[in-house]
Amino acid sequence: MLRILFFVLLVLVLGGGFAWLADRPGDLIVTFAGMRYEVTLMVAATAIVAVVAAVMLAWWLIKSIVRSPYALQRHFRARKRDRGYQSLSTGLIAAGAGDAEAARRMTKQAGKLLNVDQEPLIKLLEAQTAMLEGRTDDARTTFEAMLDDPETRLLGLRGLYLEAQRAGARDAAQHYADEASKLAPHVEWASSAVLGRLSAEGDWDEALKLLDARKAGQQTDKETVKKERAALLTAKAISTFDSDPAGARTIALEAHKLAPDLVPAAVIAARALFRQGDLRKGSKILEAAWKSSPHPDIAQAYVHARPGDSTHDRLKRARHLFALRPNNPESSLALAHAALDAGEYALARENAEAVLRMAPRESAYLLLADIEEAQTGDQGRVRQWLSRAVKAPRDPAWTADGYVSDQWAPVSPVTGRLNAFEWKVPVEQLAPVIDIGQEVRGPEPETPDVPVVIEQKPERVAEPQQSSRGDGAVAPVADEKPKLKPAKTHETAPQADDEDIKMLVVDDPGVAPEDRADNRQARYRLF
């Protein structure tokens, strides 16, 4: 565009100049070698312009002839480079698609057309091709060669890290991640791996430094940064709670301020306040967290806020939690546990059954087994609750990347991702929904004095009977009880011995009647 504008301006200037000369006629006299030449001014100006144009044309021709070999060489070199980059691009696409043959062919072609030392992507294509063909040693050698070039050093560390992980060499993989983290702290895979190691070692100060260095080179959402820092501070407060309660309190309060919805931060902050006698402030933190998201850890910390409280005092605090979030499974479970400890069996049973109506889960059935053992000592009913607990949906747990843990952690042990644990029902442990209308009624009463006939439906599994070996062994109790009806006179078999009469519910083997009272306070847990 600028060249066109310059050309137009030049034409305008020449046209204006010739028009000006035409309006002012004159002669030009030149004496050269004894000869006198006289021409008009217009002819002289035209001749001068023609001479200048001829000189410029001649110069352009001479220059083009002189530079033609270099121009041809540059043209062929650019064409070769373009073909090389086309081969490189095709090879990378083939490697990404898993076409090892095409990737190998394009690697050789790109190596002939491009300079390997000047184009680092050829090394990447070579490594990818070697990995596709299973030549792990060649791939590792190529990645190691990348370490010598500053441009490809990070890429080489990444490849060596992945190869070490595939080979199961965790120490080597961690070494490469450490090197990459020092070189580029903002790289996610390297910093996540180092954070996982620091978390496993409990070096929270270094983890916080690495987090600050990583966020300095990234444009990350401020809320995400706050939550990740709060997770590390919470873990540090938990680790220093026993050795330095005062320092743990400061750290935990900072974490809770950064992420008020983080349950472990609220729990450890409240526990640190309780340790120093600040019951009021700690209770307010737990109550606010409970209103936001009820959690068993919050209920445990709130109910046992004061050491030495009686069971009725803890029951009172549990009632207060229940009032904050009524009609909630966690509220009912917390109140049921406190009522069981206080001996309020009717209240405990009522709330445990309320959990079954709202959200059936394993812990509710186990709690009913505890209540049955403590209230009646009926081992048959206890076993029925336990058998139903086996088939019940599992309770929520701390889950991160498929890993299930009883305790919260700041990073995922699988990927090293910060703040990855979530409180939810593990996907692989989801169970079908249980018919609440039948479960809440509890076990069927026994009929000890009337002979019975067991009527089974094809799709139902009858209650297991007592073993005829006489050793007291009992099969597992089924979920559905068979239908019982009194035997008619004309259908009743001849009188059998007492050993042949099968009862549906029997006592546990090896439990003597005199030992039953000592075991009433036991707590049933399946795992």
Side-chain angles (χ1 to χ4, degrees):
M1 185 65 185
L2 294 178
R3 290 183 179 181
I4 296 176
L5 181 61
F6 176 77
F7 178 76
V8 171
L9 291 176
L10 180 61
V11 171
L12 291 176
V13 170
L14 290 175
F18 280 106
W20 183 78
L21 289 176
D23 294 337
R24 294 166 177 79
D27 296 328
L28 180 64
I29 301 173
V30 179
T31 303
F32 180 74
M35 297 295 294
R36 179 185 176 93
Y37 301 94
E38 182 177 356
V39 294
T40 61
L41 188 60
M42 179 63 70
V43 174
T46 304
I48 293 173
V49 171
V51 170
V52 171
V55 170
M56 292 179 64
L57 180 60
W59 174 254
W60 177 78
L61 289 174
I62 295 173
K63 182 179 178 182
S64 298
I65 294 173
V66 172
R67 298 185 61 182
S68 58
Y70 173 76
L72 290 174
Q73 183 182 4
R74 184 176 59 182
H75 169 73
F76 288 119
R77 185 169 60 246
R79 183 181 177 184
K80 181 181 179 181
R81 184 181 66 248
D82 293 341
R83 291 175 56 197
Y85 279 114
Q86 181 63 35
S87 301
L88 181 60
S89 175
T90 305
L92 290 174
I93 294 174
D99 190 351
E101 182 180 357
R104 182 176 63 256
R105 185 173 64 255
M106 292 297 104
T107 301
K108 294 181 180 179
Q109 186 172 341
K112 294 178 182 179
L113 298 174
L114 296 176
N115 189 351
V116 179
D117 296 333
Q118 297 180 357
E119 184 48 62
L121 287 179
I122 296 181
K123 296 180 181 179
L124 174 61
L125 182 56
E126 291 177 355
Q128 293 290 334
T129 305
M131 293 169 64
L132 284 175
E133 296 177 345
R135 296 182 285 110
T136 56
D137 294 337
D138 295 341
R140 190 178 300 109
T141 302
T142 305
F143 284 127
E144 289 175 353
M146 293 182 184
L147 300 180
D148 299 332
D149 189 355
E151 293 183 355
T152 60
R153 180 175 176 79
L154 188 60
L155 178 60
L157 290 172
R158 169 69 169 173
L160 292 172
Y161 171 78
L162 294 178
E163 285 298 314
Q165 277 194 327
R166 291 191 183 97
R170 296 185 177 181
D171 294 338
Q174 192 61 55
H175 168 73
Y176 296 132
D178 290 340
E179 293 296 325
S181 178
K182 295 177 183 177
L183 185 63
H186 61 277
V187 176
E188 184 69 23
W189 66 268
S191 59
S192 296
V194 177
L195 281 174
R197 176 182 62 83
L198 294 176
S199 299
E201 296 175 355
D203 194 350
W204 306 114
D205 293 331
E206 290 296 326
L208 288 169
K209 291 180 182 178
L210 179 60
L211 179 63
D212 295 337
R214 185 175 75 173
K215 299 310 176 185
Q218 288 182 342
Q219 297 294 331
T220 312
D221 184 23
K222 293 183 179 180
E223 292 298 325
T224 303
V225 175
K226 289 182 179 180
K227 290 182 179 180
E228 291 181 348
R229 182 172 179 81
L232 291 179
L233 290 174
T234 301
K236 182 179 179 181
I238 294 174
S239 63
T240 60
F241 177 73
D242 295 329
S243 59
D244 186 12
R249 170 185 174 176
T250 304
I251 298 172
L253 289 176
E254 181 183 356
H256 179 64
K257 184 178 180 180
L258 290 174
D261 56 343
L262 185 60
V263 172
V267 171
I268 191 60
R271 289 181 57 197
L273 291 170
F274 293 156
R275 176 69 67 89
Q276 295 188 351
D278 197 344
L279 184 65
R280 182 178 180 181
K281 186 175 181 180
S283 298
K284 287 185 177 180
I285 291 177
L286 292 179
E287 289 173 0
W290 182 264
K291 292 178 182 178
S292 175
S293 57
H295 193 278
D297 292 345
I298 299 177
Q300 178 71 13
Y302 188 83
V303 171
H304 297 82
R306 282 185 303 216
D309 276 357
S310 64
T311 56
H312 286 83
D313 290 335
R314 294 199 293 268
L315 177 59
K316 183 178 179 181
R317 296 180 67 83
R319 289 179 184 274
H320 182 66
L321 277 183
F322 182 84
L324 294 178
R325 283 297 297 268
N327 299 324
N328 185 275
E330 298 297 341
S331 299
S332 298
L333 273 179
L335 183 56
H337 279 289
L340 175 59
D341 293 337
E344 300 288 342
Y345 302 124
L347 179 61
R349 186 183 296 273
E350 177 185 354
N351 283 274
E353 292 177 351
V355 175
L356 297 184
R357 289 191 295 270
M358 289 183 287
R361 59 183 64 181
E362 178 189 14
S363 59
Y365 288 100
L366 294 176
L367 179 59
L368 284 169
D370 292 337
I371 296 170
E372 201 71 54
E373 171 70 12
Q375 186 177 13
T376 65
D378 191 334
Q379 297 299 316
R381 295 187 178 185
V382 168
R383 285 195 302 276
Q384 288 194 15
W385 288 123
L386 293 178
S387 67
R388 293 172 183 177
V390 174
K391 301 178 181 179
R394 306 303 293 270
D395 287 75
W398 290 111
T399 306
D401 300 320
Y403 180 83
V404 182
S405 174
D406 294 334
Q407 297 180 350
W408 173 86
V411 297
S412 169
V414 179
T415 61
R417 184 164 52 95
L418 263 176
N419 212 12
F421 275 94
E422 297 177 341
W423 182 255
K424 62 181 182 180
V425 178
V427 176
E428 67 275 9
Q429 294 181 348
L430 288 177
V433 178
I434 296 177
D435 187 2
I436 307 304
Q438 183 176 359
E439 296 294 340
V440 177
R441 291 197 298 267
E444 297 281 347
E446 298 182 12
T447 310
D449 297 328
V450 181
V452 296
V453 175
I454 301 178
E455 181 181 6
Q456 298 179 342
K457 297 182 180 180
E459 68 277 10
R460 298 293 186 183
V461 179
E463 290 284 348
Q465 299 175 347
Q466 187 174 359
S467 173
S468 60
R469 296 176 301 177
D471 54 358
V474 180
V477 181
D479 186 42
E480 295 289 342
K481 292 180 66 63
K483 184 177 179 181
L484 305 181
K485 62 180 180 180
K488 297 181 180 179
T489 305
H490 64 278
E491 294 179 351
T492 305
Q495 185 67 30
D497 296 336
D498 294 338
E499 295 179 355
D500 297 330
I501 299 177
K502 312 300 181 183
M503 303 302 297
L504 294 178
V505 181
V506 294
D507 290 338
D508 280 338
V511 180
E514 60 271 18
D515 297 336
R516 185 178 297 168
D518 298 333
N519 297 330
R520 288 187 177 182
Q521 299 301 324
R523 294 292 185 263
Y524 290 92
R525 295 294 181 267
L526 296 182
F527 305 102

